[in-house]
Amino acid sequence: YVCLREMVTLKDFQENHKWIAKRIHPPISPQQVKEAIETLLELGLLRRNQEGKLVQTEKFVHTEDQNTQIVEAYHFHEAMIDQARYALGHFKQEERHYYGLTIPLPKEMMQELIDEFYLFRDKVIEKVNQKGLSFDEVYQMNFQFFPLTKKKGEEGPHE
């Protein structure tokens, strides 16, 4: 759904279920495209303009900071991690960019790094939101920042 929602902004977008299905990775069926369009229209994430073309109702939809306890946000992030796993094995290295950084941190630095994380996200949104841009492809950019060690006296991850 997320990819299809963004695809309507592509300069060569065609509301043709076969065309859309062929452009999405991993591949989906034309029937899944039809169902996704219907769902996105029902949810109000897409609408039809005066010419009948699909358009976004809002430029950007994002989960709120620190709000991944909501079921929908959880499923979105889980799906994007799966997409990243798929891309790792199906795209050439020059077509995908993966960076990993495993580092020790002092507790006092955590909030500073989290703030930088969100500043970068906002800068990317601002750049993409510039007027006059013409879009060619849809990309997914994921950021994960999570502990690999347990705090002293902690049993395991919080459920």
Side-chain angles (χ1 to χ4, degrees), residues 4-56:
L4 198 149
R5 181 189 172 279
E6 298 304 322
M7 284 180 76
V8 303
T9 67
L10 299 179
K11 60 186 172 190
D12 66 342
F13 179 75
Q14 300 172 33
E15 190 178 339
N16 174 301
H17 298 158
K18 288 181 183 179
W19 182 88
I20 294 168
K22 286 180 183 179
R23 293 278 311 262
I24 291 180
H25 288 289
I28 64 173
S29 72
Q31 181 59 34
Q32 289 172 307
V33 170
K34 181 180 184 293
E35 292 167 9
I37 290 172
E38 290 170 1
T39 301
L40 290 166
L41 287 166
E42 285 173 22
L43 293 172
L45 294 170
L46 290 180
R47 65 175 176 82
R48 294 199 180 275
N49 66 11
Q50 291 177 334
E51 294 85 40
K53 277 184 65 175
L54 289 172
V55 294
Q56 294 177 342

Side-chain angles (χ1 to χ4, degrees), residues 111-159:
Q111 193 57 51
E112 179 184 350
L113 291 175
I114 291 167
D115 292 345
E116 290 288 330
F117 188 83
Y118 290 121
L119 282 171
F120 177 70
R121 177 205 59 194
D122 293 346
K123 186 175 180 178
V124 169
I125 290 170
E126 184 180 311
K127 279 187 165 294
V128 173
N129 205 17
Q130 293 176 45
K131 293 223 182 274
L133 290 180
S134 181
F135 304 113
D136 301 302
E137 299 293 340
V138 176
Y139 282 81
Q140 177 66 32
M141 183 181 287
N142 296 327
F143 300 100
Q144 291 90 26
F145 185 57
F146 54 89
L148 290 177
T149 56
K150 295 185 233 176
K151 293 181 178 140
K152 190 175 181 179
E154 193 176 71
E155 291 298 315
H158 302 288
E159 297 284 332

Side-chain angles (χ1 to χ4, degrees), residues 80-92:
M80 291 305 103
I81 290 168
D82 288 342
Q83 290 282 54
R85 187 176 296 113
Y86 172 86
L88 185 63
H90 289 84
F91 289 96
K92 296 176 187 171

